[in-house]
Amino acid sequence: MTVSRARAGLGLAAAAAILLAVAGAAAQNPPRSLVPDAAPSERPGPVRESDVRVDRLEAPGRASVGLLGPGESGLPEDLWNGADRATVAALLRRLPPYYRSATARDLARRLLLSTGRMPAGGISDAELLALRMERLLTMGQAQSVVALAEAAGGGISEPEVAEILAEAQFALGEVDSACDTVQVAVRAGGSGYWQRASVFCDLRADRRADAELMRSLIAESGDPDTIFRDLADAVADETPVTVEADPSMRALHLAMLQAAPSATLTRAENLPPYLAAIVASGSGHDPATRIAAGERAVAQAGLAPSVVMLVYDMEGAADSPSPYREPVVSAMVTQETAGRAEALNELWSRAAKSGDHDLAAGYAQGILQRLEPGSAVAFLAPAAIRMSLLNGGYERAEAWMRILDRGASSGGGDLVQANTAFLPLAQVAGLTGTDTRKLRVWWSVTTDQPQGRTRALRVLMALDALGRPADADLWADLLAGDMQAVAGVDEPALWRQLVMASGNGATGVALLAALALTGTDSAGELDPVTLSTITGVLRRAGLQAEARQLAIEAVIAQGD
């Protein structure tokens, strides 16, 4: 099970008890920064697979091998200092298969790809390596999985490593290599997954007798994989089959579907995000299917938005029910500046209703860069600021902020309201210094609204965690209300690990715990206590840019 959010379970009193209980132990080893400080205006960039370089580690073992060193966006080699293997393995199992938070996703990639000296222990190198490879695969890093296995010496001899390697090869379309991996495993007595994969490989190589014999053995064993059975029929006999996408689908299933022209995929939005990215990027599906898959993959697997934007404009794409296709296409093709700005504003409005803020920001990035901020398009400023910040464009956000300020100063009612709503985000993002007077203006119109006190608590705790606290009188106002009603935490074991590891300088363990607590939800769905604690842990680990970006995501997602 992974943590999707910090749910109202223990409450603030229990959260405080956890923090106080571990504080004494952590105090003997005060937090220290283990990586160089990031520039305040620098947003952490995603780790592209093209940037990955294989870097074999001489010692102490295969569990320590990585593809990124400290000078290549990786974390320091001593990131596992103070860790034990059992804890690392347990936390790797708790990592979610994907992240809606772009900041968390990029950080998870860096952590899993980094070279780091793993301490000795009872958990095998192969098990730790397989856990890293599995999480990388489900995040869409199939190429890195193959490279990591190669850097560790191939990995085909250990079943737990070999299965993830084969899945990565299927995901990359390297079916010949995948079938070579399958053949070795079957000869070694592999069953289950290996038997199913061997059926596909034998059918593909026209070894039908071998395939039918294995299919009979699988049927006798009562294998529950109905998607495999249907796809095997389609590959063997071109039997027409409709496959309804399921979150349990694996790369083997998708490889079989792509090899069967008679097979049709539906409900592509239900695919695991890394498989959705493959469907969106390929040409073997209709535009509506590719759009459904692509929107999921952009939001949850980091697929380049341009892939989906190109499909939006294809013939037949109008059949897609996507709410984003129309404004994106309009923004791409409209030549008139005001019309383009209106399309982007509509895109943001639609995305905000469903919480797809990062998705809209990704679509708008290139278009916004070509759209000059000005008074004629001042109505776009509130959305343009937020999309620019989500894309790491702080200078562009400042330019739009000046347009918003001028519009509000001239008395435009909507812009005055928008400027007030923007005050806390400007301070969290570091576009302005912490200004309690301005925060109080926002406070006066927020705290009486539904969830207003939760929003206020999230902002104040984020500023605390970023080292830019608001004045005590705002906290005094908040303390006068019902604190218990606006926040809660769950998962006490993860919380303990997070705080203890951060206090003891065990960077790798602290980051694993933080990522596990972040889960698959957006940053805006983290409760204020969880958000501020994770943000503070990142900052104390020297990851200031990531801390700020996570806080920005959360404040934008809550509507500020």
Side-chain angles (χ1 to χ4, degrees):
M1 184 189 76
T2 58
V3 180
S4 62
R5 71 185 70 180
R7 295 170 292 278
L10 298 177
L12 280 180
I18 294 170
L19 299 179
L20 290 172
V22 299
Q28 297 179 4
N29 297 282
R32 60 190 179 91
S33 173
L34 295 179
V35 298
D37 288 352
S41 62
E42 180 182 307
R43 181 192 181 183
V47 177
R48 299 184 300 271
E49 294 203 321
S50 59
D51 294 337
V52 170
R53 178 179 69 83
V54 174
D55 182 18
R56 287 183 182 272
L57 187 69
E58 295 179 2
R62 298 171 66 210
S64 302
V65 74
L67 307 181
L68 294 174
E72 302 160 311
S73 298
L75 297 166
E77 289 190 18
D78 63 353
L79 81 163
W80 300 117
N81 279 5
D84 66 86
R85 287 194 172 208
T87 298
V88 173
L91 289 171
L92 284 170
R93 293 188 185 95
R94 297 298 302 274
L95 292 184
Y98 63 87
Y99 301 86
R100 285 192 67 187
S101 165
T103 303
R105 183 167 56 245
D106 292 341
L107 182 58
R109 287 186 181 123
R110 290 172 61 192
L111 179 61
L112 294 170
L113 289 172
S114 290
T115 298
R117 297 181 178 275
M118 189 67 65
I123 306 296
S124 71
D125 280 3
E127 185 174 352
L128 287 173
L129 182 63
L131 287 169
R132 289 169 64 195
M133 290 168 61
E134 182 180 14
R135 288 298 177 255
L136 285 165
L137 177 63
T138 60
M139 289 195 301
Q141 291 280 300
Q143 184 177 328
S144 294
V145 170
V146 174
L148 197 60
E150 178 185 344
I156 293 181
S157 60
E158 294 101 351
E160 62 266 50
V161 176
E163 184 172 332
I164 305 303
L165 174 60
E167 278 287 289
Q169 291 166 331
F170 280 130
L172 291 170
E174 298 174 358
V175 182
D176 288 341
S177 296
C179 286
D180 289 343
T181 304
V182 170
Q183 189 175 34
V184 171
V186 171
R187 286 175 177 171
S191 59
Y193 173 84
W194 298 117
Q195 291 176 324
R196 294 190 295 275
S198 72
V199 169
F200 172 53
C201 292
D202 284 339
L203 287 172
R204 187 171 171 273
D206 203 27
R207 297 188 293 266
R208 289 183 171 268
D210 291 342
E212 290 306 319
L213 175 60
M214 188 62 77
R215 289 181 72 183
S216 298
L217 293 173
I218 292 172
E220 290 174 5
S221 70
D223 188 281
D225 192 340
T226 57
I227 295 177
F228 163 76
R229 291 201 299 268
D230 290 343
L231 287 172
D233 289 338
V235 174
D237 307 318
E238 298 187 3
T239 303
V241 59
T242 298
V243 175
E244 184 172 319
D246 184 285
S248 67
M249 286 182 68
R250 303 187 69 184
L252 170 62
H253 295 125
L254 191 58
M256 295 176 72
L257 187 142
Q258 292 172 331
S262 61
T264 303
L265 179 68
T266 63
R267 303 295 300 273
E269 66 275 11
N270 292 333
L271 284 167
Y274 77 105
L275 296 184
I278 298 170
V279 169
S281 303
S283 59
H285 304 275
D286 63 85
T289 297
R290 292 178 64 187
I291 288 170
E295 289 180 347
R296 179 169 172 82
V298 171
Q300 299 175 0
L303 179 68
S306 58
V307 173
V308 185
M309 294 171 74
L310 290 173
V311 183
Y312 278 156
D313 202 29
M314 290 176 58
E315 184 178 352
D319 295 335
S320 167
S322 168
Y324 308 125
R325 190 193 70 83
E326 181 183 351
V328 169
V329 171
S330 178
M332 288 193 296
V333 303
T334 301
Q335 297 300 314
E336 191 256 328
T337 299
R340 184 175 294 177
E342 288 172 359
L344 290 177
N345 210 37
E346 178 63 20
L347 168 65
W348 180 255
S349 176
R350 295 185 183 189
K353 290 177 182 177
S354 55
D356 290 328
H357 302 88
D358 273 316
L359 184 68
Y363 287 150
Q365 184 171 18
I367 302 169
L368 269 178
Q369 288 173 350
R370 298 190 300 272
L371 187 65
E372 193 64 30
S375 57
V377 289
F379 64 88
L380 179 61
I385 292 169
R386 289 164 173 81
M387 289 189 286
S388 297
L389 287 174
L390 288 173
N391 290 325
Y394 294 98
E395 291 184 5
R396 200 67 169 174
E398 288 177 331
W400 282 104
M401 185 176 70
R402 290 191 289 271
I403 297 299
L404 179 60
D405 282 340
R406 286 202 292 267
S409 298
S410 66
D414 290 344
L415 294 180
V416 170
Q417 185 177 357
N419 199 38
T420 300
F422 174 60
L423 292 174
L425 177 59
Q427 296 184 38
V428 168
L431 300 181
T432 65
T434 301
D435 187 327
T436 299
R437 181 185 61 81
K438 290 183 177 180
L439 277 179
R440 188 168 289 285
V441 173
W442 168 77
W443 186 282
S444 66
V445 298
T446 300
T447 52
D448 291 335
Q449 296 176 1
Q451 298 298 311
R453 295 184 70 80
T454 302
R455 290 164 58 192
L457 181 62
R458 185 176 282 111
V459 169
L460 292 191
M461 294 193 77
L463 288 171
D464 270 1
L466 292 170
R468 301 194 296 270
D471 287 351
D473 60 340
L474 284 181
W475 274 108
D477 288 350
L478 197 59
L479 286 168
D482 183 4
M483 296 288 288
Q484 185 71 26
V486 296
V489 295
D490 207 344
E491 299 289 343
L494 275 179
W495 271 87
R496 178 187 180 279
Q497 203 66 59
L498 175 71
V499 180
M500 283 288 290
S502 178
N504 292 329
T507 301
V509 172
L511 294 181
L512 284 175
L515 290 166
L517 282 168
T518 300
T520 58
D521 285 333
S522 70
E525 293 173 287
L526 296 174
D527 72 66
V529 176
T530 304
L531 173 68
S532 65
T533 304
I534 292 174
T535 301
V537 166
L538 296 181
R539 178 170 166 264
R540 287 191 296 275
L543 300 170
Q544 290 92 338
E546 290 84 350
R548 176 172 65 166
Q549 199 65 26
L550 188 69
I552 287 172
E553 288 182 15
V555 174
I556 289 176
Q558 74 174 12
D560 292 312

